[in-house]
C-alpha cells in the first residue's frame, strides 16, 4: 500500500515516513510540502493513502488538497495529522471527507495503528479482489 | 355882713359855673380856681378872725395851686386868641390879688405877735379891700367862664355837625355794603364750591400740606398734615411754622423763608443738599422731603409747604445701602467676572474680576452701555460666527432666559487679544415678576479649553498608538505562533515519533537506553503541550479561519484546561457574519475576552465562567464575560486598571466601542464590551 506524506516540515516528513515505513505492507511512496507537490504526487505516484497536514508550505491549505482528492481521486483515502487540536478543525476536515484526524504530537501512535489496520484491510482486499 | 357878701360871691360863681356844660374842661379849671380862691379867702378870713397860726397854711398852698391852675387854664385856651385877653386880665387880677395876699400874709405874720388887736381894724379894712378885689376877680372869672362856655358850645355844634355828616355817610356806606355783600355772597358760593373741591384735593393728598400767612402762622392744613404731625387739624391751625421745626433749625429756617420770599421765586424744593427734619407734636423728629411755594393773595403773602415723612424711605435707603455694601463685598470676593445690568443692558455694578476678564486696565475704563462695550469687544459664538449684541448673555438674560456654561469667544478690537468665556446668566426680577435687569457671570476658560483640546489630541494620539501597538503586537504574536507551530511543534512531534522508533529498535526496552528514550519522549510531549498553549494564546488566525465563536470556544477550552474552572461559550448565530466585514473588531473582542479570562484566572476565585457574544441592537455586538467569583470591592475599584484591562478599554475606544466592568463584592464580576459594526464599516470607508 502506497502512502503519500504531505507535510511542510521536513523533520516530520522524515520521522513520520520512518514510522509509517516500519508498518508491514506500507510503502511511503513520496513526500510533498505544498498543494502543488501533493497534487503532482497523487497524480504521479497514485498513492492509496494520503497523510495530510492542515497547514502546508507557503500558506497552502491541506483542505484544498483534501477537496481535490475527494473530487478528482475518490479512490484515494485521506487522513489528517495536525498540530491543531481544535475540535472545529477536526470536524471540519472530517466533514470534508477525511477518514481520520490525528493530533500529530500526541496521537501519532494511534495514527500508526490506524494506517497499519488500513494496510491490512487493503492487503486483504487486494488479495481476494481482482488483480491490480 | 362881710361874711355874707363873701359867701354870696362864690355862690354866684357856682351858679354861673353850673350853667356851663359839666363836660367842659374850662369849667372844671375855672371851678378849680374858684375853689382855690375860696380856700385863699377862707384862710385869710380865718386868720383875721382867730389870729391863729393854724389858719395860715391853706391860704399859702392855695396860692401855689392858683399858679398851677392858671397855667393849666392858659394852656387850655391857648388855641382861642379871643380869650387870651380875658385870660391876661384874669391873670393880672389874680397876680395882683395874690401879691396883695402875700404882702398881707407877710404883714400878718410880722405883726401877729406884736399887736394883734391893734391892727385888727386895719386888717379888717384891708380885708374888705381884698374882698372887693376878690369880687372883681370873681366877676372876671365868671366872664371868662361864659367865654369858655361859648367856645365849648361852638365846639359841640361843630361836633354834632360832623356827627350828622358821619351818619349820612354811614347810611350810604351801609347801602354800598349791602350791594357788595350780595355780590360777595354769590362770589362766596362760587368760592365755596372751589374751596370744597380744593379741600377735597387737599384732604385726599397723601402729602402733608400747610399754608402759612406772612407771619408764618398756619392758616390751613390737611388731614395728611394732621396725621404726619400727630396733632388735630384745629390745633395745627394757628401754630407757627417754626413750631414744627426742631429747635436747632428754627433760625436757619426763618432765614431761608425770608431769603425765599425776597427771591420772589414761586416755588422751591427744600434741602436738596442736606437732610431736612420736622418736629411732631409729640416731640418726635423725623426726616422730610419738602417744597415751599409762595403766592400773594389780596396783598397778603401766603406760603404753602408740601412735605412728606420720609422716615421709611430713609430706612429703606439705609437698608438698600447695607445690602448694596453686602453685594459689593460678595461681588469683590467672586473670582468670576460678575456684572449687573439694568433692564436696558446698562452696566450698573461689576466686580474687579469683570475688569480683568475684559482686559480693562481700570474700573473707570469699563464701558457703560452695551453699544460702548460692543465697540471695544467682539463677541463670537462657539462656532466662530460673530454674535450680535442681541445674542450676548446679557441680552438673552433680559429676554428672560437663564442658562449656565454658555461659551462665547471674545476679542479685543484694539489689541486683537482673544479669549474664551464661559457664561452663566439669569434675569433679575422684582417680587411681582417685573424685569429689573440681569446678572451675568463669566469665567475665562481659554486655558481650560486649550488643555481640553490638547487632551483630546493626546487621547487620539494614544488611541493611534494603542491601535498601532496592537497591530505590531498581533503581527509579532502571529510570527511567533507561526514559528512555534511550524517549527518547534513539528520538531517536537518529530522527536516523539523518532523516540518511538528508537524504542522499537531496542532489543531490550527495559534497560537504561529504553528509559532514556521514553524520558526524551515525555519531555517532548510536555514541551509540545506548552507550545500548543502558547500558540493558542498568541494566534488569532483561528479567528480569521473559523470566526469569533470558535476562537472563543478554543480560548475557553484552554482556560479550563489551565484553571480547571468550567467555561461555557454562547455565540450568537449572526455574530460571525456581522464581524466578517470588520476583522479588527473580531480581534479586539477576542483580545478582550482573553484578557477577561486572564483576570478571572488571577483574581476571581470563580467556580464558573460564562462567555457570551451576541448581537446587540441593529449593528452592535456585545461581548460579556461573567464569573461567579468574589467580585470587586470599592478598594479594588479605586486601583488603577491593570494594563490588560486598560489595553482592553483603549482597544475598544480606538474602534469607537465601549468597555465597562460591573461588579459587587461576593457577586462576581462581569466585563462588558460593546462595539458597533456600523461605526467600524464607516471607519473603513474613511
Amino acid at each position: 500500500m502506497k502512502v503519500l506524506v504531505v507535510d511542510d516540515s521536513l523533520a516530520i516528513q522524515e520521522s513520520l515516513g520512518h514510522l509509517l515505513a516500519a508498518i508491514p505492507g506500507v510503502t511511503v511512496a513520496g513526500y510533498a510540502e505544498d498543494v502543488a507537490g501533493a497534487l503532482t504526487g497523487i497524480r504521479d505516484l497514485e498513492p492509496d493513502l494520503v497523510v495530510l497536514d492542515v497547514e502546508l508550505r507557503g500558506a497552502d491549505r491541506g483542505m484544498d488538497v483534501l477537496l481535490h482528492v475527494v473530487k478528482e481521486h475518490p479512490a484515494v483515502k485521506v487522513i489528517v495529522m495536525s498540530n491543531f487540536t481544535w475540535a472545529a478543525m477536526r470536524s471540519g476536515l472530517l466533514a470534508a471527507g477525511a477518514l481520520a484526524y490525528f493530533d500529530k504530537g500526541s496521537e501519532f501512535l494511534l495514527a500508526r495503528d490506524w494506517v497499519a489496520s488500513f494496510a491490512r484491510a487493503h492487503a486483504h482486499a487486494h488479495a481476494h479482489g481482482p488483480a491490480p | 355882713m362881710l361874711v355874707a357878701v363873701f359867701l354870696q360871691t362864690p355862690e354866684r360863681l357856682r351858679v354861673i359855673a353850673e350853667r356851663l356844660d359839666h363836660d367842659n374842661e374850662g369849667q372844671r379849671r375855672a371851678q378849680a380856681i374858684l375853689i382855690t380862691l375860696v380856700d385863699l379867702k377862707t384862710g385869710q378870713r380865718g386868720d383875721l378872725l382867730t389870729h391863729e397860726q393854724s389858719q395860715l397854711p391853706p391860704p399859702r398852698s392855695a396860692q401855689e395851686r392858683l399858679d398851677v391852675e392858671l397855667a393849666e387854664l392858659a394852656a387850655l385856651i391857648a388855641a382861642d386868641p379871643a380869650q387870651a385877653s380875658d385870660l391876661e386880665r384874669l391873670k393880672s387880677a389874680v397876680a395882683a390879688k395874690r401879691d396883695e395876699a402875700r404882702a398881707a400874709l407877710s404883714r400878718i405874720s410880722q405883726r401877729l405877735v406884736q399887736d394883734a388887736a391893734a391892727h385888727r381894724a386895719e386888717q379888717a379894712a384891708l380885708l374888705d379891700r381884698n374882698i372887693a378885689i376878690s369880687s372883681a376877680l370873681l366877676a372876671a372869672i365868671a366872664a371868662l367862664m361864659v367865654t369858655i362856655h361859648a367856645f365849648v358850645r361852638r365846639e359841640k355844634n361843630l361836633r354834632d355837625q360832623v356827627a350828622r355828616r358821619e351818619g349820612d355817610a354811614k347810611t350810604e356806606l351801609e347801602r354800598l355794603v349791602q350791594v357788595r355783600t350780595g355780590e360777595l355772597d354769590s362770589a362766596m358760593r362760587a368760592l365755596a364750591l372751589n374751596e370744597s373741591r380744593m379741600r377735597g384735593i387737599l384732604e385726599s393728598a397723601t402729602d402733608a400740606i400747610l399754608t402759612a400767612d406772612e407771619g408764618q402762622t398756619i392758616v390751613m392744613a390737611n388731614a395728611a398734615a394732621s396725621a404726619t404731625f400727630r396733632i388735630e387739624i384745629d390745633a395745627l391751625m394757628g401754630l407757627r411754622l417754626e413750631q414744627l421745626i426742631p429747635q436747632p433749625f428754627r433760625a436757619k429756617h426763618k432765614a431761608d423763608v425770608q431769603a425765599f420770599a425776597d427771591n420772589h421765586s414761586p416755588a422751591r424744593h427744600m434741602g436738596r443738599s442736606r437732610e431736612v427734619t420736622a418736629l411732631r407734636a409729640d416731640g418726635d423728629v423725623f426726616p422730610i422731603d419738602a417744597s415751599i411755594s409762595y403766592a400773594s393773595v389780596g396783598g397778603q403773602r401766603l406760603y404753602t409747604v408740601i412735605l412728606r415723612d420720609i422716615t421709611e424711605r430713609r430706612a429703606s435707603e439705609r437698608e438698600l445701602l447695607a445690602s448694596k455694601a453686602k453685594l459689593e463685598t460678595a461681588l469683590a470676593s467672586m473670582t468670576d467676572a460678575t456684572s449687573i445690568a439694568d433692564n436696558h443692558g446698562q452696566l450698573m455694578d461689576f466686580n474687579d474680576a469683570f475688569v480683568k476678564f475684559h482686559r480693562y486696565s481700570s474700573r473707570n475704563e469699563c464701558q457703560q452701555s452695551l453699544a460702548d462695550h460692543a465697540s471695544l469687544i467682539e463677541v463670537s459664538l462657539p462656532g466662530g460666527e460673530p454674535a450680535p449684541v442681541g445674542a450676548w448673555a446679557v441680552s438673552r438674560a433680559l429676554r428672560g432666559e437663564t442658562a449656565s456654561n454658555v461659551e462665547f469667544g471674545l476679542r479685543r478690537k484694539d489689541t486683537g487679544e482673544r479669549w474664551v468665556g464661559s457664561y452663566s446668566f439669569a434675569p433679575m426680577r422684582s417680587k411681582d415678576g417685573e424685569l429689573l435687569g440681569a446678572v451675568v457671570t463669566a469665567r475665562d476658560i481659554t486655558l481650560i479649553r486649550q488643555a481640553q483640546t490638547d487632551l483630546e489630541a493626546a487621547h487620539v494620539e494614544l488611541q493611534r498608538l494603542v491601535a498601532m501597538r496592537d497591530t505590531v503586537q498581533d503581527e509579532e504574536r502571529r510570527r511567533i505562533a507561526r514559528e512555534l507551530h511550524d517549527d518547534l511543534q513539528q520538531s517536537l512531534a518529530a522527536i516523539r515519533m523518532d523516540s518511538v522508533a528508537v524504542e522499537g529498535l531496542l532489543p531490550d526496552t527495559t534497560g537504561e537506553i529504553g528509559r532514556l528514550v521514553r524520558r526524551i519522549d515525555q519531555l517532548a510531549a510536555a514541551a509540545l503541550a506548552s507550545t500548543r498553549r502558547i500558540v493558542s494564546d498568541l494566534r488569532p488566525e483561528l479567528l480569521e479561519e473559523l470566526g469569533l465563536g470558535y476562537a472563543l470556544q478554543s480560548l475557553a477550552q484552554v482556560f479550563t484546561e489551565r484553571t480547571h474552572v468550567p467555561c461555557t461559550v454562547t455565540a450568537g448565530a449572526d455574530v460571525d457574519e456581522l464581524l466578517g466585514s470588520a476583522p479588527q473588531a473580531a480581534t479586539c473582542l477576542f483580545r478582550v475576552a482573553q484578557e477577561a479570562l486572564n483576570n478571572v484566572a488571577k483574581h476571581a476565585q470563580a467556580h464558573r465562567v460564562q462567555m457570551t457574544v451576541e448581537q446587540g441592537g441593529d449593528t452592535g455586538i456585545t461581548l460579556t464575560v461573567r464569573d461567579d467569583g468574589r467580585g470587586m470591592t470599592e478598594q479594588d475599584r479605586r486601583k488603577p486598571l491593570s494594563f490588560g484591562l486598560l489595553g482592553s478599554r483603549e482597544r475598544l475606544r480606538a474602534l469607537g466601542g465601549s468597555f465597562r466592568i460591573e461588579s459587587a463584592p461576593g457577586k462576581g464580576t462581569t466585563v462588558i464590551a460593546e462595539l458597533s459594526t456600523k461605526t467600524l464599516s464607516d471607519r473603513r470607508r474613511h
Side-chain angles (χ1 to χ4, degrees):
Chain A
M1 184 192 79
K2 288 186 285 186
V3 176
L4 177 69
V5 174
V6 182
D7 199 308
D8 60 342
S9 166
L10 297 180
I12 291 293
Q13 283 185 11
E14 197 183 333
S15 297
L16 186 58
H18 193 269
L19 193 70
L20 294 176
I23 300 167
V26 170
T27 310
V28 176
Y31 300 93
E33 55 179 22
D34 55 14
V35 170
L39 297 188
T40 307
I42 291 162
R43 190 193 61 210
D44 295 349
L45 303 172
E46 295 183 332
D48 301 297
L49 179 69
V50 175
V51 178
L52 182 67
D53 193 4
V54 170
E55 285 190 322
L56 303 177
R57 177 77 59 208
D60 278 4
R61 302 189 336 153
M63 179 65 95
D64 294 334
V65 177
L66 173 63
L67 293 174
H68 176 81
V69 171
V70 167
K71 193 179 171 199
E72 304 295 332
H73 309 279
V76 179
K77 305 303 171 196
V78 178
I79 63 167
V80 179
M81 280 193 76
S82 168
N83 270 319
F84 293 112
T85 56
W86 314 319
M89 189 74 90
R90 186 186 294 263
S91 57
L93 285 157
L94 289 175
L99 291 183
Y101 185 103
F102 296 104
D103 180 337
K104 206 189 275 178
S106 60
E107 296 176 336
F108 61 92
L109 288 177
L110 285 177
R112 187 192 63 179
D113 293 348
W114 189 93
V115 173
S117 167
F118 182 79
R120 279 195 299 276
H122 178 82
H124 181 74
H126 283 271
H128 300 284
Chain B
M1 202 226 26
L2 266 176
V3 173
V5 171
F6 213 101
L7 289 174
Q8 191 201 359
T9 309
E11 181 59 23
R12 270 195 287 122
L13 262 177
R14 196 182 55 79
V15 172
I16 292 165
E18 275 176 358
R19 284 205 307 268
L20 292 173
D21 194 326
H22 286 277
D23 293 339
N24 194 285
E25 179 69 11
Q27 186 200 7
R28 199 184 62 78
R29 297 286 172 202
Q31 278 177 334
I33 291 168
L34 196 61
I35 292 161
T36 308
L37 283 173
V38 171
D39 282 351
L40 188 60
K41 276 194 294 193
T42 311
Q44 284 176 334
R45 196 180 55 204
D47 175 49
L48 287 173
L49 292 176
T50 63
H51 292 253
E52 288 294 331
Q53 287 291 323
S54 61
Q55 297 291 335
L56 285 173
R60 281 211 181 99
S61 69
Q63 279 190 15
E64 285 162 15
R65 274 199 339 258
L66 205 58
D67 283 343
V68 174
E69 281 159 4
L70 275 172
E72 284 175 359
L73 189 64
L76 189 70
I77 62 172
D80 194 350
Q83 292 182 346
S85 55
D86 291 342
L87 183 65
E88 279 310 309
R89 275 191 290 126
L90 178 67
K91 269 164 115 175
S92 54
V94 169
K97 182 73 191 97
R98 195 173 53 188
D99 287 346
E100 283 174 19
R102 194 177 294 139
L105 281 171
S106 168
R107 278 193 303 276
I108 289 164
S109 44
Q110 281 171 5
R111 285 180 296 193
L112 211 56
V113 184
Q114 296 168 6
D115 189 9
H119 290 290
R120 194 168 297 159
E122 189 189 344
Q123 286 298 321
L126 193 63
L127 189 64
D128 282 346
R129 204 156 58 90
N130 276 348
I131 289 166
I133 291 167
S134 291
S135 298
L137 185 60
L138 286 173
I141 288 172
L144 186 60
M145 288 296 176
V146 172
T147 309
I148 288 169
H149 181 71
F151 170 68
V152 168
R153 180 66 47 84
R154 240 187 1 257
E155 280 286 296
K156 193 174 180 290
N157 287 346
L158 206 61
R159 260 205 322 261
D160 287 351
Q161 221 175 339
V162 168
R164 268 198 306 280
R165 277 197 217 123
E166 275 178 358
D168 292 349
K170 198 177 164 192
T171 312
E172 175 62 14
L173 196 64
E174 277 169 0
R175 193 184 64 80
L176 276 173
V177 163
Q178 267 176 0
V179 173
R180 286 279 180 267
T181 306
E183 290 169 2
L184 210 58
D185 278 350
S186 56
M188 287 293 275
R189 275 192 296 279
L191 200 64
L193 202 67
N194 273 340
E195 201 192 323
S196 67
R197 217 175 285 154
M198 184 73 181
R199 187 143 285 279
I201 292 168
L202 287 179
E203 290 311 310
S204 62
T206 52
D207 285 351
I209 302 173
L210 296 166
T211 300
D213 65 12
E214 207 158 354
Q216 295 211 39
T217 300
I218 295 168
V219 294
M220 197 282 305
N222 68 347
S226 162
T228 302
F229 287 99
R230 294 175 190 158
I231 183 168
E232 293 298 317
I233 290 186
D234 291 346
L236 202 51
M237 307 270 258
L239 284 184
R240 289 169 54 75
L241 267 187
E242 64 174 24
Q243 287 175 278
L244 303 177
I245 292 166
Q247 187 69 48
F249 303 113
R250 284 183 189 171
K252 168 81 174 140
H253 166 77
K254 202 168 175 182
D256 282 353
V257 171
Q258 191 54 52
F260 169 66
D262 292 348
N263 217 12
H264 296 296
S265 53
R268 188 174 75 87
H269 189 272
M270 288 185 196
R272 276 258 180 255
S273 56
R274 68 192 165 89
E275 181 164 291
V276 179
T277 53
L279 178 68
R280 283 191 240 276
D282 57 13
D284 185 24
V285 174
F286 62 104
I288 57 166
D289 192 8
S291 62
I292 185 164
S293 64
Y294 154 80
S296 184
V297 178
Q300 196 190 12
R301 281 176 168 180
L302 289 176
Y303 300 94
T304 296
V305 178
I306 300 177
L307 61 92
R308 180 176 301 181
D309 181 352
I310 55 168
T311 308
E312 278 178 26
R313 196 172 80 194
R314 280 277 180 276
S316 46
E317 273 171 7
R318 270 193 298 277
E319 240 170 71
L320 199 66
L321 276 176
S323 51
K324 194 168 159 57
K326 267 185 234 162
L327 179 69
E328 301 269 341
T329 314
L331 277 179
S333 68
M334 288 174 77
T335 52
D336 284 359
T338 306
S339 60
I340 298 169
D342 67 11
N343 56 2
H344 302 295
Q346 186 86 9
L347 197 58
M348 283 176 5
D349 221 332
F350 55 89
N351 61 359
D352 289 343
F354 177 87
V355 180
K356 205 175 150 201
F357 177 79
H358 290 101
R359 278 63 175 164
Y360 289 122
S361 59
S362 69
R363 290 184 69 84
N364 294 340
E365 212 192 324
C366 289
Q367 301 300 312
Q368 296 292 301
S369 76
L370 280 177
D372 287 340
H373 205 67
S375 69
L376 250 178
I377 291 173
E378 188 180 272
V379 179
S380 56
L381 299 172
E385 59 269 40
V389 171
W392 288 14
V394 62
S395 305
R396 286 172 64 179
L398 287 176
R399 287 197 297 269
E401 195 183 338
T402 299
S404 26
N405 304 324
V406 179
E407 274 186 42
F408 287 106
L410 292 96
R411 189 180 76 89
R412 283 283 297 216
K413 289 180 179 173
D414 47 356
T415 62
E417 188 184 354
R418 288 175 185 279
W419 67 99
V420 182
S422 172
Y423 284 76
S424 296
F425 50 84
M428 215 160 48
R429 293 185 189 281
S430 67
K431 277 175 194 162
D432 50 6
E434 186 197 354
L435 185 75
L436 299 176
V439 182
V440 178
T441 66
R443 181 176 299 182
D444 190 338
I445 55 161
T446 313
L447 289 176
I448 295 169
R449 275 286 156 277
Q450 187 59 50
Q452 263 176 1
T453 311
D454 290 352
L455 193 66
E456 276 163 18
H459 201 205
V460 169
E461 291 284 300
L462 179 68
Q463 285 183 338
R464 274 183 54 208
L465 215 61
V466 165
M468 199 178 80
R469 187 199 66 176
D470 281 357
T471 310
V472 170
Q473 202 179 40
D474 281 350
E475 276 171 14
E476 188 63 12
R477 282 172 167 177
R478 205 172 274 137
R479 195 184 63 75
I480 293 168
R482 184 160 292 283
E483 288 288 312
L484 289 175
H485 182 266
D486 289 356
D487 197 8
L488 197 57
Q489 280 188 28
Q490 310 296 342
S491 299
L492 289 168
I495 287 169
R496 287 203 68 189
M497 290 173 190
D498 288 354
S499 302
V500 170
V502 169
E503 203 181 359
L505 291 176
L506 283 176
D508 176 14
T509 56
T510 58
E512 183 62 12
I513 297 172
R515 196 187 62 78
L516 285 173
V517 169
R518 282 195 294 279
R519 179 168 160 71
I520 289 170
D521 182 49
Q522 281 161 8
L523 287 172
L528 197 60
S530 293
T531 36
R532 280 198 177 152
R533 200 183 65 242
I534 293 166
V535 168
S536 159
D537 284 351
L538 292 176
R539 187 173 166 149
E541 303 105 289
L542 183 62
L543 284 168
E544 291 161 37
E545 291 292 330
L546 299 162
L548 183 62
Y550 282 119
L552 291 180
Q553 266 162 15
S554 151
L555 210 55
Q557 190 185 329
V558 173
F559 171 81
T560 305
E561 279 169 18
R562 196 175 63 184
T563 62
H564 308 291
V565 175
C567 177
T568 59
V569 176
T570 312
D574 309 331
V575 169
D576 283 329
E577 198 181 322
L578 266 171
L579 286 171
S581 60
Q584 77 256 65
T587 308
C588 173
L589 291 173
F590 177 79
R591 291 290 178 216
V592 170
Q594 197 173 25
E595 198 53 55
L597 286 180
N598 277 346
N599 272 293
V600 173
K602 269 190 237 170
H603 308 294
Q605 299 165 8
H607 300 99
R608 289 189 65 81
V609 180
Q610 223 179 342
M611 272 203 286
T612 310
V613 59
E614 59 194 359
Q615 191 177 356
D618 286 346
T619 59
I621 291 174
T622 305
L623 166 76
T624 313
V625 181
R626 190 189 313 273
D627 71 59
D628 61 353
R630 63 186 181 92
M632 289 171 79
T633 61
E634 273 305 304
Q635 218 170 359
D636 294 332
R637 281 187 176 279
R638 279 199 290 274
K639 283 183 202 160
L641 282 178
S642 71
F643 285 117
L645 290 176
L646 206 60
S648 295
R649 194 179 71 190
E650 290 309 320
R651 252 190 208 104
L652 281 157
R653 277 194 189 166
L655 296 177
S658 70
F659 175 82
R660 66 179 195 275
I661 299 171
E662 291 174 356
S663 183
K667 299 271 173 71
T669 302
T670 304
V671 168
I672 300 156
E674 284 170 333
L675 264 180
S676 164
T677 50
K678 181 173 184 296
T679 326
L680 293 172
S681 47
D682 284 353
R683 264 166 196 263
R684 272 215 303 201
R685 273 205 299 279
H686 289 141

